[in-house]
């Protein structure tokens, strides 16, 4: 089961962000989205 297929079937809007792995909030904060 692909989560994106499920979201599409349920007409749920989402944004997909590709990024390197992060292991804590500090690293996530440094991502520029």
């Amino acid at each position: 089961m692909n989560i994106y297929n499920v979201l599409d079937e349920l007409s749920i809007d989402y944004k997909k962000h590709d990024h390197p792995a992060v292991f804590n909030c500090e690293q996530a904060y440094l991502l520029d989205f």
Side-chain angles (χ1 to χ4, degrees):
M1 178 182 292
N2 183 325
I3 188 64
Y4 300 111
N5 291 341
V6 173
L7 294 172
D8 291 338
E9 288 176 11
L10 296 173
S11 299
I12 297 174
D13 291 332
Y14 60 89
K15 291 183 182 180
K16 182 179 176 186
H17 296 277
D18 293 321
H19 59 81
V22 295
F23 301 100
N24 57 46
C25 291
E26 183 177 340
Q27 290 177 346
Y29 179 73
L30 296 174
L31 294 175
D32 185 27
F33 284 108

